[in-house]
Amino acid sequence: MSNEIGVLLPNGVPGCTGETLRTWIREIEDGPFSSLGVADRYVYVNHEIMMTMAAAAALTARVRLMTAAFLGPLRPTPLFAKQVATLTALAPGRVSLGVAVGNRVNDYEAAGIPWERRGRIMDDQLRALAALRDLKGEDNAVGPELGEIELLIGGASDPALRRLLEHGDGLVSGGLKPEVFAFEAFAAGQAWEGAGRPGRPRLVASTWYASGEKAGDLAEARLASYLKNGGPPEHVISGIARGRDGIEAAFRGYRAQGADEVLFFPLLDDPAELEWLAAVIGDLPDVERGAPAPDFSLFDNTPDMKGRHG
């Protein structure tokens, strides 16, 4: 058994430069990480997700590349499919495509996409992607042909679970406490089993991290900025995994609730943050994966847990 721990690039950290991203990409490739992740936003200061993924593909040969998560409905469907298929050609056998509809209305307003159509657009995009699996050399098709890919669906609403069963290989969950991640993981597993699909869905969790252990620092301010116009509601948000003990506690918490892999999302772009995380991960003992066991009493007096992505 070995721990699967990935890290996201700081492409969403204000002021992060291209040179800093290249440094992180190279060091992630050389480090103990299972995946290099990239997050997506539209109305924000982040670098565009698929261009960043292409740069990562060019600078790596080992690490798995994961979108966590690609907000597909903000792009035209043919472009979405073409970008993904191109990435599978640039990094063959190394692409984990996490997709979600997102929960920020201002992103859709800026893109000129009706908010109420986001779910239907996502369905169209997943069908378009599947259509690229065997082009048979057609001249008049959006392409290239889709290569090997792992498809992870964000959220555990009824539509998200339907997409998981129709198209997906697993779940990608972002910014939730382990005890809340358990609800999404449990729902995904129950739906998978109920549909008679073999094995079980792959489960990927994520949380923010910082090496500093003092509250009220720049990392906290950065997280507040990132969540200003959306993100998980306050009663379910994971917060920041701080210091060595915080990293281990977060990893153990998600593993106990069934996570196959845990992604850590940096709030600072200093490469020293990555070097620190690599050292912490290298010292972690192997942690056995448990089974999701949601505690339904946690939400007796809070909004329901139907899922965050419609």
Side-chain angles (χ1 to χ4, degrees):
M1 178 177 63
S2 60
N3 296 331
E4 286 192 62
I5 300 177
V7 62
L8 275 73
L9 292 177
N11 68 304
V13 174
C16 181
T17 67
E19 182 55 40
T20 297
L21 285 178
R22 288 189 289 272
T23 297
W24 276 67
I25 291 168
R26 294 187 186 101
E27 293 192 7
I28 292 170
E29 169 77 354
D30 293 337
F33 304 103
S34 51
S35 293
L36 178 158
V38 183
D40 192 15
R41 291 285 296 272
Y42 204 82
V43 182
Y44 201 61
V45 297
N46 60 301
H47 301 86
E48 199 279 326
I49 185 171
M50 294 305 275
M51 292 189 71
T52 305
M53 291 292 284
L59 293 173
T60 62
R62 176 198 64 84
V63 73
R64 194 159 186 85
L65 306 181
M66 183 179 299
T67 57
F70 187 23
L71 306 179
L74 295 171
R75 284 84 173 175
T77 293
L79 176 61
F80 165 88
K82 199 172 190 75
Q83 285 179 317
V84 174
T86 299
L87 185 61
T88 66
L90 294 174
R94 295 194 290 128
V95 177
S96 290
L97 183 75
V99 295
V101 297
N103 56 6
R104 292 176 171 87
V105 176
N106 64 339
D107 279 346
Y108 284 86
E109 290 174 344
I113 306 296
W115 170 255
E116 63 276 7
R117 292 195 63 241
R118 66 198 189 283
R120 281 172 287 175
I121 294 171
M122 175 62 75
D123 291 335
D124 289 342
Q125 291 180 331
L126 294 177
R127 286 191 289 267
L129 196 61
L132 297 187
R133 291 190 183 277
D134 187 5
L135 294 181
K136 301 184 184 304
E138 293 181 26
D139 294 330
N140 220 7
V142 171
E145 187 167 296
L146 183 69
E148 181 184 341
I149 191 169
E150 177 182 70
L151 182 59
L152 305 174
I153 306 297
S157 64
D158 289 343
L161 293 174
R162 172 180 52 77
R163 293 176 195 123
L164 169 65
L165 297 178
E166 291 178 1
H167 303 282
D169 300 299
L171 163 80
V172 60
S173 180
L176 299 181
K177 299 174 182 176
E179 58 267 36
V180 181
F181 167 76
F183 284 85
E184 292 196 339
F186 180 78
Q190 290 291 105
W192 192 276
E193 182 179 349
R197 290 194 58 173
R200 61 178 186 82
R202 196 161 110 80
L203 304 174
V204 179
S206 66
T207 187
W208 296 275
Y209 87 92
S211 62
E213 300 186 37
K214 187 178 296 184
D217 62 357
L218 180 58
E220 189 173 300
R222 289 272 169 77
L223 180 56
S225 171
Y226 190 80
L227 297 176
K228 184 176 180 180
N229 289 310
E234 187 174 353
H235 66 281
V236 304
I237 196 168
S238 66
I240 305 171
R242 290 184 174 276
R244 289 176 177 269
D245 290 346
I247 295 294
E248 181 168 357
F251 182 62
R252 287 185 179 277
Y254 291 117
R255 286 288 283 172
Q257 296 297 346
D260 293 286
E261 184 173 14
V262 179
L263 307 177
F264 286 95
F265 192 145
L267 292 166
L268 304 173
D269 63 351
D270 187 341
E273 286 287 289
L274 180 62
E275 294 166 9
W276 173 86
L277 182 63
V280 171
I281 288 173
D283 288 341
L284 288 180
D286 284 349
V287 177
E288 185 176 356
R289 183 183 59 82
D295 179 0
F296 292 93
S297 70
L298 290 174
F299 298 96
D300 287 345
N301 299 309
T302 56
D304 63 32
M305 290 299 296
K306 291 181 180 178
R308 298 171 295 121
H309 301 299

mmCIF file of all heavy atoms in Angstrom, residues 129-161:
data_model
loop_
_atom_site.group_PDB
_atom_site.id
_atom_site.type_symbol
_atom_site.label_atom_id
_atom_site.label_comp_id
_atom_site.label_asym_id
_atom_site.label_seq_id
_atom_site.Cartn_x
_atom_site.Cartn_y
_atom_site.Cartn_z
ATOM 1 N N LEU A 129 -17.706 14.313 -25.781
ATOM 2 C CA LEU A 129 -16.395 13.739 -25.468
ATOM 3 C C LEU A 129 -16.377 12.249 -25.791
ATOM 4 O O LEU A 129 -15.433 11.740 -26.401
ATOM 5 C CB LEU A 129 -16.083 13.977 -23.992
ATOM 6 C CG LEU A 129 -14.638 13.810 -23.546
ATOM 7 C CD1 LEU A 129 -13.734 14.779 -24.277
ATOM 8 C CD2 LEU A 129 -14.539 14.007 -22.036
ATOM 9 N N ALA A 130 -17.429 11.554 -25.415
ATOM 10 C CA ALA A 130 -17.513 10.120 -25.696
ATOM 11 C C ALA A 130 -17.479 9.847 -27.197
ATOM 12 O O ALA A 130 -16.947 8.820 -27.642
ATOM 13 C CB ALA A 130 -18.783 9.537 -25.081
ATOM 14 N N ALA A 131 -18.019 10.770 -27.989
ATOM 15 C CA ALA A 131 -18.060 10.581 -29.440
ATOM 16 C C ALA A 131 -16.678 10.672 -30.078
ATOM 17 O O ALA A 131 -16.516 10.292 -31.246
ATOM 18 C CB ALA A 131 -18.985 11.616 -30.072
ATOM 19 N N LEU A 132 -15.689 11.158 -29.337
ATOM 20 C CA LEU A 132 -14.333 11.270 -29.870
ATOM 21 C C LEU A 132 -13.488 10.028 -29.611
ATOM 22 O O LEU A 132 -12.296 10.015 -29.916
ATOM 23 C CB LEU A 132 -13.619 12.486 -29.266
ATOM 24 C CG LEU A 132 -14.210 13.862 -29.552
ATOM 25 C CD1 LEU A 132 -13.294 14.951 -29.018
ATOM 26 C CD2 LEU A 132 -14.445 14.055 -31.042
ATOM 27 N N ARG A 133 -14.071 8.998 -29.059
ATOM 28 C CA ARG A 133 -13.282 7.821 -28.684
ATOM 29 C C ARG A 133 -12.828 7.005 -29.894
ATOM 30 O O ARG A 133 -11.854 6.284 -29.820
ATOM 31 C CB ARG A 133 -14.078 6.930 -27.720
ATOM 32 C CG ARG A 133 -14.270 7.570 -26.364
ATOM 33 C CD ARG A 133 -14.835 6.597 -25.348
ATOM 34 N NE ARG A 133 -15.093 7.238 -24.064
ATOM 35 C CZ ARG A 133 -14.184 7.436 -23.125
ATOM 36 N NH1 ARG A 133 -12.942 7.055 -23.338
ATOM 37 N NH2 ARG A 133 -14.506 8.017 -21.985
ATOM 38 N N ASP A 134 -13.528 7.086 -30.997
ATOM 39 C CA ASP A 134 -13.130 6.289 -32.167
ATOM 40 C C ASP A 134 -13.565 7.034 -33.428
ATOM 41 O O ASP A 134 -14.642 6.796 -33.969
ATOM 42 C CB ASP A 134 -13.777 4.908 -32.104
ATOM 43 C CG ASP A 134 -13.264 3.992 -33.209
ATOM 44 O OD1 ASP A 134 -12.351 4.411 -33.944
ATOM 45 O OD2 ASP A 134 -13.790 2.872 -33.333
ATOM 46 N N LEU A 135 -12.713 7.932 -33.914
ATOM 47 C CA LEU A 135 -13.072 8.760 -35.065
ATOM 48 C C LEU A 135 -12.857 8.039 -36.399
ATOM 49 O O LEU A 135 -13.342 8.480 -37.432
ATOM 50 C CB LEU A 135 -12.250 10.046 -35.058
ATOM 51 C CG LEU A 135 -12.541 11.005 -33.900
ATOM 52 C CD1 LEU A 135 -11.680 12.244 -34.019
ATOM 53 C CD2 LEU A 135 -14.009 11.391 -33.867
ATOM 54 N N LYS A 136 -12.093 6.954 -36.388
ATOM 55 C CA LYS A 136 -11.838 6.166 -37.598
ATOM 56 C C LYS A 136 -11.316 7.027 -38.743
ATOM 57 O O LYS A 136 -11.673 6.839 -39.911
ATOM 58 C CB LYS A 136 -13.104 5.422 -38.037
ATOM 59 C CG LYS A 136 -13.647 4.457 -36.980
ATOM 60 C CD LYS A 136 -14.831 3.681 -37.506
ATOM 61 C CE LYS A 136 -15.444 2.789 -36.423
ATOM 62 N NZ LYS A 136 -14.517 1.856 -35.808
ATOM 63 N N GLY A 137 -10.497 8.008 -38.427
ATOM 64 C CA GLY A 137 -9.873 8.815 -39.461
ATOM 65 C C GLY A 137 -10.815 9.750 -40.196
ATOM 66 O O GLY A 137 -10.524 10.200 -41.309
ATOM 67 N N GLU A 138 -11.954 10.086 -39.614
ATOM 68 C CA GLU A 138 -12.918 10.952 -40.283
ATOM 69 C C GLU A 138 -12.303 12.322 -40.552
ATOM 70 O O GLU A 138 -11.597 12.890 -39.719
ATOM 71 C CB GLU A 138 -14.179 11.098 -39.425
ATOM 72 C CG GLU A 138 -14.974 9.798 -39.293
ATOM 73 C CD GLU A 138 -16.229 9.987 -38.452
ATOM 74 O OE1 GLU A 138 -16.731 11.121 -38.389
ATOM 75 O OE2 GLU A 138 -16.686 8.995 -37.851
ATOM 76 N N ASP A 139 -12.639 12.880 -41.721
ATOM 77 C CA ASP A 139 -12.095 14.183 -42.099
ATOM 78 C C ASP A 139 -12.910 15.339 -41.532
ATOM 79 O O ASP A 139 -12.395 16.431 -41.345
ATOM 80 C CB ASP A 139 -12.064 14.316 -43.632
ATOM 81 C CG ASP A 139 -11.095 13.341 -44.270
ATOM 82 O OD1 ASP A 139 -10.094 13.013 -43.604
ATOM 83 O OD2 ASP A 139 -11.349 12.916 -45.405
ATOM 84 N N ASN A 140 -14.183 15.106 -41.293
ATOM 85 C CA ASN A 140 -15.094 16.197 -40.978
ATOM 86 C C ASN A 140 -15.603 16.100 -39.544
ATOM 87 O O ASN A 140 -16.799 16.146 -39.296
ATOM 88 C CB ASN A 140 -16.282 16.154 -41.939
ATOM 89 C CG ASN A 140 -16.697 17.552 -42.374
ATOM 90 O OD1 ASN A 140 -16.026 18.509 -42.056
ATOM 91 N ND2 ASN A 140 -17.799 17.632 -43.081
ATOM 92 N N ALA A 141 -14.698 15.926 -38.604
ATOM 93 C CA ALA A 141 -15.101 15.755 -37.207
ATOM 94 C C ALA A 141 -14.244 16.634 -36.306
ATOM 95 O O ALA A 141 -13.100 16.950 -36.620
ATOM 96 C CB ALA A 141 -14.958 14.302 -36.789
ATOM 97 N N VAL A 142 -14.836 17.036 -35.202
ATOM 98 C CA VAL A 142 -14.042 17.688 -34.165
ATOM 99 C C VAL A 142 -13.113 16.636 -33.584
ATOM 100 O O VAL A 142 -13.536 15.543 -33.244
ATOM 101 C CB VAL A 142 -14.952 18.272 -33.069
ATOM 102 C CG1 VAL A 142 -14.128 18.759 -31.886
ATOM 103 C CG2 VAL A 142 -15.803 19.405 -33.629
ATOM 104 N N GLY A 143 -11.867 16.940 -33.474
ATOM 105 C CA GLY A 143 -10.900 15.963 -32.967
ATOM 106 C C GLY A 143 -9.756 16.693 -32.310
ATOM 107 O O GLY A 143 -9.845 17.904 -32.095
ATOM 108 N N PRO A 144 -8.720 16.011 -31.940
ATOM 109 C CA PRO A 144 -8.323 14.648 -32.305
ATOM 110 C C PRO A 144 -9.104 13.575 -31.540
ATOM 111 O O PRO A 144 -9.938 13.902 -30.699
ATOM 112 C CB PRO A 144 -6.840 14.612 -31.916
ATOM 113 C CG PRO A 144 -6.769 15.535 -30.733
ATOM 114 C CD PRO A 144 -7.726 16.646 -31.055
ATOM 115 N N GLU A 145 -8.785 12.343 -31.876
ATOM 116 C CA GLU A 145 -9.417 11.225 -31.185
ATOM 117 C C GLU A 145 -9.036 11.248 -29.713
ATOM 118 O O GLU A 145 -7.892 11.519 -29.360
ATOM 119 C CB GLU A 145 -8.982 9.912 -31.822
ATOM 120 C CG GLU A 145 -9.715 8.698 -31.288
ATOM 121 C CD GLU A 145 -9.486 7.472 -32.156
ATOM 122 O OE1 GLU A 145 -9.915 7.494 -33.326
ATOM 123 O OE2 GLU A 145 -8.875 6.513 -31.671
ATOM 124 N N LEU A 146 -10.002 10.965 -28.869
ATOM 125 C CA LEU A 146 -9.783 10.966 -27.426
ATOM 126 C C LEU A 146 -8.928 9.779 -27.016
ATOM 127 O O LEU A 146 -9.221 8.629 -27.359
ATOM 128 C CB LEU A 146 -11.129 10.904 -26.700
ATOM 129 C CG LEU A 146 -11.086 10.977 -25.166
ATOM 130 C CD1 LEU A 146 -10.646 12.358 -24.711
ATOM 131 C CD2 LEU A 146 -12.464 10.643 -24.583
ATOM 132 N N GLY A 147 -7.858 10.061 -26.267
ATOM 133 C CA GLY A 147 -7.015 9.000 -25.757
ATOM 134 C C GLY A 147 -7.507 8.485 -24.418
ATOM 135 O O GLY A 147 -8.598 8.827 -23.953
ATOM 136 N N GLU A 148 -6.683 7.668 -23.796
ATOM 137 C CA GLU A 148 -7.025 7.109 -22.487
ATOM 138 C C GLU A 148 -7.259 8.234 -21.488
ATOM 139 O O GLU A 148 -6.487 9.191 -21.403
ATOM 140 C CB GLU A 148 -5.897 6.211 -21.997
ATOM 141 C CG GLU A 148 -6.160 5.568 -20.644
ATOM 142 C CD GLU A 148 -4.971 4.774 -20.148
ATOM 143 O OE1 GLU A 148 -4.095 4.422 -20.965
ATOM 144 O OE2 GLU A 148 -4.908 4.513 -18.930
ATOM 145 N N ILE A 149 -8.328 8.116 -20.704
ATOM 146 C CA ILE A 149 -8.673 9.181 -19.766
ATOM 147 C C ILE A 149 -9.445 8.607 -18.590
ATOM 148 O O ILE A 149 -10.198 7.631 -18.735
ATOM 149 C CB ILE A 149 -9.511 10.273 -20.484
ATOM 150 C CG1 ILE A 149 -9.646 11.524 -19.613
ATOM 151 C CG2 ILE A 149 -10.878 9.736 -20.893
ATOM 152 C CD1 ILE A 149 -10.227 12.707 -20.356
ATOM 153 N N GLU A 150 -9.224 9.184 -17.416
ATOM 154 C CA GLU A 150 -10.051 8.902 -16.250
ATOM 155 C C GLU A 150 -10.990 10.087 -16.088
ATOM 156 O O GLU A 150 -10.537 11.236 -16.060
ATOM 157 C CB GLU A 150 -9.183 8.748 -15.002
ATOM 158 C CG GLU A 150 -9.983 8.532 -13.728
ATOM 159 C CD GLU A 150 -9.098 8.433 -12.502
ATOM 160 O OE1 GLU A 150 -8.511 9.473 -12.111
ATOM 161 O OE2 GLU A 150 -8.981 7.330 -11.941
ATOM 162 N N LEU A 151 -12.285 9.824 -15.981
ATOM 163 C CA LEU A 151 -13.278 10.887 -15.889
ATOM 164 C C LEU A 151 -13.901 10.889 -14.498
ATOM 165 O O LEU A 151 -14.507 9.898 -14.074
ATOM 166 C CB LEU A 151 -14.362 10.685 -16.951
ATOM 167 C CG LEU A 151 -15.463 11.739 -17.011
ATOM 168 C CD1 LEU A 151 -14.882 13.124 -17.274
ATOM 169 C CD2 LEU A 151 -16.482 11.384 -18.096
ATOM 170 N N LEU A 152 -13.724 12.006 -13.800
ATOM 171 C CA LEU A 152 -14.238 12.168 -12.441
ATOM 172 C C LEU A 152 -15.313 13.241 -12.434
ATOM 173 O O LEU A 152 -15.121 14.319 -13.001
ATOM 174 C CB LEU A 152 -13.104 12.550 -11.486
ATOM 175 C CG LEU A 152 -11.896 11.606 -11.458
ATOM 176 C CD1 LEU A 152 -10.792 12.191 -10.584
ATOM 177 C CD2 LEU A 152 -12.303 10.219 -10.964
ATOM 178 N N ILE A 153 -16.414 12.967 -11.787
ATOM 179 C CA ILE A 153 -17.545 13.886 -11.752
ATOM 180 C C ILE A 153 -17.582 14.615 -10.416
ATOM 181 O O ILE A 153 -17.449 14.000 -9.357
ATOM 182 C CB ILE A 153 -18.876 13.134 -11.968
ATOM 183 C CG1 ILE A 153 -18.829 12.302 -13.264
ATOM 184 C CG2 ILE A 153 -20.045 14.110 -11.981
ATOM 185 C CD1 ILE A 153 -18.675 13.097 -14.525
ATOM 186 N N GLY A 154 -17.776 15.936 -10.463
ATOM 187 C CA GLY A 154 -17.858 16.727 -9.238
ATOM 188 C C GLY A 154 -19.271 16.768 -8.689
ATOM 189 O O GLY A 154 -20.235 16.989 -9.429
ATOM 190 N N GLY A 155 -19.395 16.564 -7.395
ATOM 191 C CA GLY A 155 -20.687 16.669 -6.736
ATOM 192 C C GLY A 155 -21.422 15.354 -6.604
ATOM 193 O O GLY A 155 -21.048 14.337 -7.201
ATOM 194 N N ALA A 156 -22.501 15.373 -5.795
ATOM 195 C CA ALA A 156 -23.276 14.157 -5.558
ATOM 196 C C ALA A 156 -24.772 14.442 -5.587
ATOM 197 O O ALA A 156 -25.552 13.775 -4.915
ATOM 198 C CB ALA A 156 -22.881 13.525 -4.225
ATOM 199 N N SER A 157 -25.174 15.455 -6.362
ATOM 200 C CA SER A 157 -26.600 15.675 -6.602
ATOM 201 C C SER A 157 -27.119 14.546 -7.488
ATOM 202 O O SER A 157 -26.345 13.759 -8.053
ATOM 203 C CB SER A 157 -26.816 17.017 -7.302
ATOM 204 O OG SER A 157 -26.210 16.997 -8.585
ATOM 205 N N ASP A 158 -28.423 14.470 -7.654
ATOM 206 C CA ASP A 158 -28.980 13.435 -8.521
ATOM 207 C C ASP A 158 -28.433 13.532 -9.948
ATOM 208 O O ASP A 158 -28.042 12.516 -10.527
ATOM 209 C CB ASP A 158 -30.508 13.504 -8.519
ATOM 210 C CG ASP A 158 -31.115 13.040 -7.204
ATOM 211 O OD1 ASP A 158 -30.398 12.363 -6.424
ATOM 212 O OD2 ASP A 158 -32.294 13.348 -6.937
ATOM 213 N N PRO A 159 -28.379 14.751 -10.567
ATOM 214 C CA PRO A 159 -27.805 14.824 -11.920
ATOM 215 C C PRO A 159 -26.330 14.430 -11.950
ATOM 216 O O PRO A 159 -25.878 13.785 -12.904
ATOM 217 C CB PRO A 159 -27.992 16.296 -12.301
ATOM 218 C CG PRO A 159 -29.131 16.770 -11.468
ATOM 219 C CD PRO A 159 -28.978 16.040 -10.170
ATOM 220 N N ALA A 160 -25.566 14.811 -10.927
ATOM 221 C CA ALA A 160 -24.144 14.453 -10.896
ATOM 222 C C ALA A 160 -23.971 12.945 -10.793
ATOM 223 O O ALA A 160 -23.101 12.359 -11.464
ATOM 224 C CB ALA A 160 -23.450 15.151 -9.731
ATOM 225 N N LEU A 161 -24.783 12.291 -9.983
ATOM 226 C CA LEU A 161 -24.690 10.838 -9.860
ATOM 227 C C LEU A 161 -25.101 10.147 -11.159
ATOM 228 O O LEU A 161 -24.512 9.131 -11.541
ATOM 229 C CB LEU A 161 -25.552 10.344 -8.705
ATOM 230 C CG LEU A 161 -25.078 10.765 -7.303
ATOM 231 C CD1 LEU A 161 -26.090 10.338 -6.252
ATOM 232 C CD2 LEU A 161 -23.698 10.197 -6.985
#
